[in-house]
């Protein structure tokens, strides 16, 4: 049994057998039901119709009549079973009156709603279908207590005030009043038959009590005081009464359909909505699931299928399926979303089933909505596969046969093993051509697809900002911007830098990442991916002289003395600043050479003499003012006559006084002070820490030394990349070589080859799902492409992209749903836009559902597009 116990299989069978018994029972006008029934498929209405006649009786202690004071009395009457109405022919057109009603299952009720919706919109030429809405006040529950009376073949009915709200009880009094025309009810749901069978079974086991009751909740539809049913004429918009649908209450009820292609309903206090506009609760990072589910829950053919008796098609024996569990969970969820008056639905049961069969979606981490969609479509297909015993088929190459013949053979072989509503609606076929680059062998295959994953060609390049440092301190740092392949390697960045710097032959480049005033990474491996460089990184490029002896590097880091006041006391502290300076040790012998090389690299940061002198005079005046404020005896002239001379002589020294120390690569620890006469160990890289007194740094522009741009500054406004959906499709259909990890075994060469691959669209499905490949993955990073994709809304014409046309099918599509992703890979959020009713679009953001204008649905967040084929 493919690893499944007989108990599990039996459990799944019981769920399916009891599936229809768990549905709600709707109480509707018989004429309304009969109008829809005449056009329904036979399998949808194959159940027997049992006729019941309402009579007064003594089942509850005496002759029944409805007492005028309805607020103090229960409603009591009997339903006498008259027999099989299909055999007697009592539901013929002429015999239907305004006091005839029907009990139907939720499946039947929804199918009848769909028929009435389609019938009213045929004249207006509405070609797309959305399951109709209904006046929220026109569907309300009434609780009935039933007792089986086997001796009279009847059901004793009691409708109690205690079981119902005041308003529902008031309405029930009007509907079930026996003071007027005879009340007849046809049970087409089969529910009352179950009551009789249950009563017989119980009677065999024990003596049944005469007053034993069973509870039945009826969903009353079409019988409120306010609902009106009419239809609009196609040409002049005037109205006329339809089909004479009346129910005998208050002179008859007339229904009206709106102008949109879905039935709209009005609730209390002007609340508006339609069937299907139900949000999904976020259970904790489940927005990815909610987004995909809302798109599927508004896919027309799938809605029709799962609102019908789909349980008949569940395949319990498919080893690739999930014993119908996923199909049942999805069907239950979809019905909840389309239930009249439904509030937000918590998809906990579906989430639990999903985690059971796809552990990658367990827990509460964020996932990819397209990956969930792919799993769900495949799982639904396997659970609903009509093929019980899959035949063995062998894939054959074309071998020169006509493509049409080979494609039809592949498709026949596919549907011989895979036949479900998912295949009917969502699967297409493309042609795959492989050409060996050595022997030129051509292999043609025709494979099915569930969706198209299109690349975004406009996002192949990346702009990076870097800082370039001179080799000898002769020039200031230069900001540089280069364009590199988005998924290129470090060697691509190196080539772009060589070109941008016009690098001479005698120089080379060293690319580093600087963080907290120290070098934390050398980017030297040419095959490493550029995705390892994040937008917030700071890159510094050092121009170095080529050295035949390959001398080690020397890295200078800087610290300055700053005063910090802790608890009112001054505490001098060394603080790192500036960009590290890098050179080679080729001409360095001792500590004196190290210091001279350092001052040479710093020379470009010296401020002009006049600028330094002006700053010095300003500082002297400030010191004089401070001193005068304290003792009132020293003037500016006094300061000029004493301190200026000393300060000027001190600052006019050719080089400032500083101390150099050997340190680690982070500048955190001091190993020893570098003495001028001490020789330097040139066998490895040398890290030097330069410590400056504050006043000695005044001759240098430390701000310029510390300025570093990010690779791509957050919040920087860059021109948004834009590409049309057709360009994405063309990139998908362009021939390209296979990757080295995906080589093809050539039957001609008898070896694996890096073949040239070409895809062509051959057969398009009724529902076309297009996945925009916004996310890229590597061993170390994930990245998202934010390009704006311009996609058609009402007329996606793919006729020019189809390789084979049989002249029978249209290739034009209309958009009806979008799965959106906002934000980055780690902290993003999913929503869905859905076309629902007429020209209305709605934004499904977890539990929140609200209208959105059509002009706002095209954004750079669009991730998965759902199109349905237009009917010619």
């Amino acid at each position: 049994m493919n690893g499944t116990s007989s108990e599990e299989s039996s459990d799944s069978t019981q769920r399916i057998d009891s599936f229809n018994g768990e549905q709600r029972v709707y109480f509707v006008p018989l004429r309304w039901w009969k109008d829809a029934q005449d056009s329904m498929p036979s399998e949808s209405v194959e159940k027997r119709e049992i006729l019941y006649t309402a009579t007064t009786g003594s089942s509850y202690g005496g002759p029944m009549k409805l007492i005028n004071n309805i607020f103090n009395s229960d409603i009591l009457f009997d339903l006498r079973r008259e027999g099989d109405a299909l055999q007697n022919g009592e539901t013929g057109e002429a015999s239907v009156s305004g006091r005839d009603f029907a009990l139907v299952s939720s499946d039947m009720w929804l199918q009848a709603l769909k028929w009435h919706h389609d019938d009213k919109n045929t004249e207006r030429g509405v070609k797309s279908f959305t399951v109709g809405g209904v006046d929220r006040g026109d569907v309300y529950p009434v609780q009935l207590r039933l007792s089986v009376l086997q001796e009279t073949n009847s059901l004793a009915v009691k409708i109690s005030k205690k079981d119902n709200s005041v308003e529902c009880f008031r309405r029930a009094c009007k509907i079930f009043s026996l003071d007027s025309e005879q009340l007849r009810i046809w049970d087409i749901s089969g529910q009352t038959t179950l009551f009789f069978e249950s009563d017989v079974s119980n009677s065999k086991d024990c003596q049944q009590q005469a007053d034993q009751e069973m509870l039945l909740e009826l969903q009353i539809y079409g019988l409120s005081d306010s609902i009106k049913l009419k239809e609009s004429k196609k040409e002049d918009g005037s109205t006329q009464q339809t089909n004479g649908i009346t129910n005998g209450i208050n002179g008859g009820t007339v229904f009206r359909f709106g102008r949109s292609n879905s039935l709209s309903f009005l609730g209390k206090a002007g609340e508006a909505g339609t069937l299907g506009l139900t949000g999904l609760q976020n259970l904790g990072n489940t927005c990815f699931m909610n987004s995909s589910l809302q798109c599927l829950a508004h896919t027309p053919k799938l809605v029709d299928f799962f609102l019908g008796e789909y349980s008949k098609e569940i395949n319990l024996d498919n080893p690739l399926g999930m014993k119908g569990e996923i199909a049942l969970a999805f069907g239950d969820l979809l019905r909840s979303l389309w239930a009249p008056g439904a509030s937000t639905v918590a998809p906990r049961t579906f989430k639990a089933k999903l985690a059971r069969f796809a552990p990658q979606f367990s827990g509460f981490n964020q996932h990819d909505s397209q990956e969930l969609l792919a799993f769900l479509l495949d799982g639904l297909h396997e659970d609903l596969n009509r093929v019980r015993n899959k035949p063995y088929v062998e894939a054959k190459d074309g071998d020169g046969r006509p493509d049409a013949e080979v494609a039809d053979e592949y498709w026949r072989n596919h549907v011989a093993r895979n036949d479900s509503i998912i295949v009917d609606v969502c699967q297409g076929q493309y042609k795959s051509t492989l050409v060996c680059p050595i022997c030129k062998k051509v292999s043609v295959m025709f494979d099915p697809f569930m969706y198209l994953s299109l690349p975004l060609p406009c996002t192949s390049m990346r702009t990076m900002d870097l800082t370039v440092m001179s080799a000898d301190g002769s020039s200031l740092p230069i900001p540089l911007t280069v364009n590199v392949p988005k998924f290129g390697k470090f060697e691509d960045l190196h080539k772009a830098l060589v070109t941008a710097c016009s690098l001479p032959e005698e120089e080379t480049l060293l690319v580093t990442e600087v963080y907290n005033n120290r070098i934390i990474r050398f980017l030297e491996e040419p095959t490493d991916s550029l995705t390892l460089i994040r937008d917030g990184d700071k890159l510094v490029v050092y121009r170095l002289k080529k050295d035949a002896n390959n001398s080690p590097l020397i890295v200078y880091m800087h610290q300055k003395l700053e005063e910090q006041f802790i608890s009112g006391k001054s505490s001098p502290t060394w603080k790192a600043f500036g960009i590290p300076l890098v050179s080679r040790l080729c001409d360095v012998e001792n500590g004196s050479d190290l210091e001279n090389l350092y001052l040479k690299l710093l020379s470009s940061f010296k401020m002009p003499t006049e600028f330094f002198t002006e700053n010095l005079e300003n500082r002297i005046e400030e010191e004089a003012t401070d001193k005068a404020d304290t003792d009132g005896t020293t003037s500016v002239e006094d300061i000029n006559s004493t301190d200026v001379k000393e300060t000027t002589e001190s600052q006019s020294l050719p080089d400032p006084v500083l101390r150099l120390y050997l340190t680690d690569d982070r500048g955190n620890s001091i190993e020893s002070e570098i003495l001028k006469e001490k020789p330097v160990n040139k066998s490895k890289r040398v890290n030097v820490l330069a410590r400056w007194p504050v006043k000695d740094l005044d001759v240098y522009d430390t701000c310029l030394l510390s300025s570093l741009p990010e690779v791509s500054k957050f919040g920087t406004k860059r021109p948004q990349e834009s590409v049309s959906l057709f360009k994405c499709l063309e990139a998908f259909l362009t021939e390209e070589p296979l990757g080295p990890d995906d080589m093809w075994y050539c039957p001609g060469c008898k070896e694996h080859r890096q073949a040239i691959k070409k895809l062509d669209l051959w057969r398009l499905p009724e529902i076309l799902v297009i996945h925009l490949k916004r996310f890229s993955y590597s061993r170390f990073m994930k990245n998202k492409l934010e390009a704006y994709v311009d996609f058609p809304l009402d007329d996606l014409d793919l006729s020019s992209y189809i390789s084979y046309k049989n002249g029978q099918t249209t290739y034009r599509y209309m958009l009806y749903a979008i799965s959106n992703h906002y934000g980055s890979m780690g902290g993003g959020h999913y929503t869905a836009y859905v076309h629902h009713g007429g020209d209305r679009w709605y934004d499904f953001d977890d539990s929140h559902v609200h209208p959105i204008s059509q002009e706002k649905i095209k954004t750079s967040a669009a991730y998965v597009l759902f199109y349905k084929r237009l009917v010619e």
Side-chain angles (χ1 to χ4, degrees):
M1 296 294 292
N2 305 310
T4 304
S5 68
S6 59
E7 292 182 0
E8 290 175 341
S9 179
S10 174
D11 178 66
S12 297
T13 304
Q14 291 173 3
R15 284 197 60 195
I16 295 171
D17 291 342
S18 64
F19 182 78
N20 291 329
E22 296 174 357
Q23 298 186 67
R24 291 180 173 182
V25 178
Y26 284 78
F27 184 88
V28 300
L30 181 63
R31 175 63 64 85
W32 180 86
W33 161 252
K34 293 296 293 181
D35 287 340
Q37 178 192 25
D38 293 339
S39 300
M40 286 185 184
S42 58
E43 61 271 16
S44 300
V45 291
E46 61 184 9
K47 295 185 178 180
R48 297 169 59 204
E49 300 180 4
I50 307 299
L51 172 61
Y52 291 88
T53 303
T55 64
T56 59
S58 57
S59 55
Y60 282 97
M64 189 282 288
K65 66 177 180 179
L66 181 62
I67 301 177
N68 291 332
N69 189 353
I70 63 173
F71 295 101
N72 296 319
S73 303
D74 293 336
I75 305 173
L76 310 174
F77 60 94
D78 292 347
L79 288 177
R80 186 178 69 248
R81 184 170 176 171
E82 303 292 349
D84 192 329
L86 285 180
Q87 295 175 357
N88 298 338
E90 293 191 33
T91 57
E93 187 70 23
S95 65
V96 177
S97 73
R99 295 281 286 167
D100 291 336
F101 302 96
L103 300 180
V104 296
S105 66
S106 57
D107 288 343
M108 299 173 180
W109 179 73
L110 287 167
Q111 290 174 5
L113 274 182
K114 174 184 179 297
W115 180 86
H116 280 288
H117 158 268
D118 289 342
D119 181 60
K120 302 304 176 290
N121 285 283
T122 299
E123 292 186 3
R124 293 198 298 273
V126 177
K127 299 176 181 179
S128 60
F129 167 69
T130 306
V131 174
V134 54
D135 192 297
R136 187 173 295 186
D138 193 47
V139 179
Y140 53 91
V142 171
Q143 304 284 346
L144 280 67
R145 293 185 180 272
L146 306 177
S147 297
V148 178
L149 307 174
Q150 293 287 356
E151 63 277 7
T152 60
N153 202 25
S154 302
L155 289 171
V157 182
K158 177 170 69 173
I159 305 176
S160 173
K161 268 193 61 184
K162 296 180 180 179
D163 298 332
N164 298 276
S165 67
V166 173
E167 179 62 21
C168 291
F169 185 77
R170 182 188 65 81
R171 294 182 178 185
C173 290
K174 293 184 178 181
I175 296 171
F176 295 103
S177 170
L178 301 187
D179 291 342
S180 56
E181 187 181 351
Q182 185 181 38
L183 174 68
R184 295 187 299 178
I185 299 174
W186 276 264
D187 179 19
I188 310 170
S189 69
Q191 185 64 51
T192 58
T193 302
L194 295 178
F195 288 150
F196 276 98
E197 292 174 353
S198 175
D199 180 75
V200 171
S201 176
N202 292 336
S203 298
K204 293 179 181 179
D205 298 332
C206 61
Q207 181 66 33
Q208 187 178 8
Q209 299 295 326
D211 59 350
Q212 181 175 349
E213 297 177 338
M214 290 169 285
L215 190 63
L216 173 64
E217 180 179 279
L218 294 184
Q219 302 296 320
I220 311 296
Y221 169 69
L223 304 174
S224 71
D225 297 336
S226 59
I227 189 165
K228 306 294 181 184
L229 174 61
K230 295 180 182 177
E231 66 176 328
S232 300
K233 286 188 176 181
K234 178 179 178 181
E235 299 296 334
D236 58 347
S238 61
T239 61
Q240 63 181 14
Q241 184 172 331
T242 70
N243 300 337
I245 303 175
T246 60
N247 62 14
I249 301 175
N250 293 333
T253 297
V254 184
F255 299 78
R256 177 189 295 275
F257 283 84
R259 289 186 175 272
S260 70
N261 70 333
S262 70
L263 299 176
S264 61
F265 62 77
L266 295 176
K268 296 180 179 180
E271 181 182 356
T274 57
L275 284 178
L277 296 183
T278 306
L280 285 168
Q281 182 180 335
N282 192 320
L283 305 178
N285 277 332
T286 56
C287 58
F288 75 96
M289 181 180 75
N290 294 346
S291 175
S292 291
L293 287 175
Q294 291 290 9
C295 293
L296 286 181
H298 291 83
T299 298
K301 288 295 181 69
L302 292 186
V303 174
D304 295 345
F305 178 80
F306 282 99
L307 292 182
E309 297 182 358
Y310 71 91
S311 58
K312 295 179 179 179
E313 297 196 14
I314 290 182
N315 188 340
L316 295 175
D317 303 319
N318 187 357
L320 300 178
M322 284 151 273
K323 306 303 177 186
E325 294 294 327
I326 286 294
L328 285 171
F330 178 77
D332 290 344
L333 180 61
L334 187 142
R335 288 164 180 258
S336 298
L337 292 175
W338 284 97
S343 57
T344 300
V345 175
R348 291 188 178 88
T349 302
F350 179 84
K351 177 71 166 60
K353 296 295 182 184
L354 182 67
R356 175 184 171 190
F357 294 105
Q360 65 269 29
F361 297 117
S362 62
F364 299 98
N365 293 325
Q366 183 68 278
H367 295 281
D368 190 321
S369 70
Q370 188 273 333
E371 291 179 1
L372 181 278
L373 177 69
F375 168 80
L376 184 54
L377 287 176
D378 186 65
L380 291 174
H381 159 65
E382 297 296 352
D383 270 1
L384 299 169
N385 197 344
R386 304 177 186 112
V387 179
R388 264 46 180 178
N389 297 307
K390 295 186 177 183
Y392 172 76
V393 292
E394 183 178 355
K396 299 179 182 179
D397 206 346
D399 293 329
R401 291 183 293 161
D403 283 347
E405 178 184 334
V406 179
D408 289 343
E409 178 183 288
Y410 269 84
W411 189 254
R412 286 194 303 270
N413 292 341
H414 175 65
V415 297
R417 295 172 55 85
N418 303 276
D419 183 17
S420 69
I421 181 65
I422 303 300
V423 174
D424 297 342
V425 174
C426 299
Q427 285 197 355
Q429 187 182 35
Y430 58 73
K431 174 184 176 182
S432 176
T433 305
L434 294 171
V435 180
C436 177
I438 306 301
C439 70
K440 304 305 178 184
K441 166 69 176 177
V442 178
S443 173
V444 178
M445 301 182 73
F446 292 85
D447 299 316
F449 67 85
M450 195 87 74
Y451 49 85
L452 298 178
S453 289
L454 306 186
L456 275 60
C458 71
T459 56
S460 58
M461 301 300 290
R462 178 185 182 186
T463 300
M464 301 178 70
D465 297 326
L466 307 92
T467 300
V468 179
M469 306 291 289
S470 65
D472 54 5
S474 58
S475 62
L476 290 170
I478 300 174
L480 193 65
T481 300
V482 295
N483 291 317
V484 294
K486 196 174 189 71
F487 304 105
K489 303 182 183 303
F490 282 177
E491 60 185 357
D492 298 316
L493 174 59
H494 187 271
K495 291 177 183 178
L497 290 170
V498 169
T499 302
C501 294
S502 301
L503 197 70
E505 284 293 329
E506 65 273 13
E507 287 188 7
T508 185
L509 297 177
L510 176 65
V511 184
T512 67
E513 180 185 349
V514 173
Y515 179 74
N516 279 352
N517 309 108
R518 64 176 185 267
I519 296 174
I520 62 170
R521 180 169 54 146
F522 292 88
L523 283 64
E524 297 178 298
E525 181 56 50
T527 59
D528 281 350
S529 173
L530 289 178
T531 57
L532 296 174
I533 302 175
R534 297 166 297 183
D535 287 346
D537 293 344
K538 296 181 178 181
L539 301 187
V540 178
V541 182
Y542 297 93
R543 300 178 62 159
L544 302 175
K545 296 290 184 181
K546 286 184 178 179
D547 181 23
N549 298 324
N550 198 23
S551 301
L553 295 175
I554 178 171
V555 179
Y556 295 97
M557 289 167 276
H558 331 280
Q559 287 185 350
K560 60 183 177 180
L561 192 63
E562 287 191 353
E563 290 190 50
Q564 291 185 347
F565 289 89
I566 303 176
S567 300
K569 296 182 179 180
S570 176
S571 175
T573 303
W574 291 104
K575 183 178 179 180
F577 72 95
I579 306 169
L581 303 177
V582 178
S583 187
R584 291 196 183 275
L585 286 170
C586 52
D587 297 326
V588 174
E589 299 296 336
N590 52 36
S592 180
D593 294 334
L594 280 178
E595 181 176 339
N596 291 334
L597 177 59
Y598 177 52
L599 296 176
K600 180 181 179 182
L601 295 175
L602 275 177
S603 60
S604 61
F605 294 95
K606 274 191 174 182
M607 292 189 294
T609 304
E610 61 275 11
F611 182 77
F612 166 70
T613 304
E614 180 181 348
N615 287 347
L616 180 62
E617 291 175 353
N618 291 338
R619 194 185 70 188
I620 293 172
E621 290 182 2
E622 292 175 359
E623 291 179 353
T625 302
D626 294 339
K627 201 167 186 179
D629 291 340
T630 57
D631 56 21
T633 58
T634 306
S635 65
V636 174
E637 288 77 7
D638 296 332
I639 294 294
N640 288 337
S641 62
T642 56
D643 293 343
V644 171
K645 184 175 181 180
E646 292 182 13
T647 306
T648 305
E649 289 177 356
S650 173
Q651 296 295 342
S652 63
L653 293 175
D655 293 305
V657 177
L658 78 159
R659 292 182 182 275
L660 304 182
Y661 300 88
L662 291 177
T663 185
D664 58 9
D665 56 358
R666 296 188 176 184
N668 290 336
S669 63
I670 294 178
E671 298 177 5
S672 62
E673 184 177 356
I674 298 176
L675 303 178
K676 293 187 177 183
E677 66 278 2
K678 187 175 181 178
V680 175
N681 182 4
K682 301 172 62 175
S683 62
K684 60 180 181 179
R685 189 176 75 193
V686 176
N687 298 300
V688 177
L689 180 61
R691 284 187 163 177
W692 292 84
V694 177
K695 294 182 179 180
D696 292 344
L697 271 178
D698 286 345
V699 296
Y700 293 98
D701 188 345
T702 54
C703 292
L704 187 59
L705 180 61
S706 300
S707 177
L708 267 185
E710 295 179 351
V711 168
S712 180
K713 186 172 178 59
F714 178 77
T716 301
K717 288 289 184 179
R718 296 181 180 273
Q720 186 180 36
E721 294 173 286
S722 177
V723 62
S724 73
L725 184 64
F726 296 105
K727 289 293 183 182
C728 298
L729 184 59
E730 290 167 5
F732 174 74
L733 300 176
T734 300
E735 66 177 30
E736 60 180 357
L738 296 177
D741 298 330
D742 189 28
M743 293 201 295
W744 168 65
Y745 181 79
C746 175
C749 300
K750 307 297 183 183
E751 292 185 19
H752 286 88
R753 301 295 187 188
Q754 200 168 349
I756 305 299
K757 184 176 183 179
K758 174 73 168 68
L759 294 177
D760 294 287
L761 298 179
W762 190 267
R763 187 191 308 263
L764 292 178
E766 183 171 345
I767 297 297
L768 179 62
V769 180
I770 297 178
H771 164 225
L772 302 177
K773 297 173 68 173
R774 292 194 177 277
F775 301 130
S776 59
Y777 303 88
S778 67
R779 287 186 304 165
F780 307 101
M781 290 191 64
K782 300 176 182 179
N783 193 36
K784 181 187 176 185
L785 311 179
E786 298 284 358
Y788 172 83
V789 179
D790 187 10
F791 46 86
L793 300 181
D794 300 321
D795 191 4
L796 173 64
D797 189 355
L798 299 179
S799 56
S800 60
Y801 296 93
I802 293 293
S803 297
Y804 174 71
K805 301 177 182 178
N806 55 19
Q808 298 179 355
T809 307
T810 179
Y811 305 106
R812 295 170 54 242
Y813 289 83
M814 183 184 79
L815 186 74
Y816 72 90
I818 308 171
S819 175
N820 300 304
H821 180 269
Y822 298 90
S824 61
M825 290 289 294
H829 179 63
Y830 287 92
T831 67
Y833 292 156
V834 172
H835 183 263
H836 183 97
D839 295 327
R840 299 294 298 274
W841 282 85
Y842 290 86
D843 181 5
F844 288 77
D845 186 357
D846 289 331
S847 58
H848 304 286
V849 181
H850 56 81
I852 184 173
S853 65
Q854 182 171 291
E855 293 74 20
K856 294 182 179 180
I857 67 170
K858 293 170 68 170
T859 70
S860 59
Y863 182 41
V864 184
L865 309 176
F866 293 77
Y867 283 92
K868 58 184 176 182
R869 184 166 23 195
L870 294 171
V871 180
E872 291 290 352

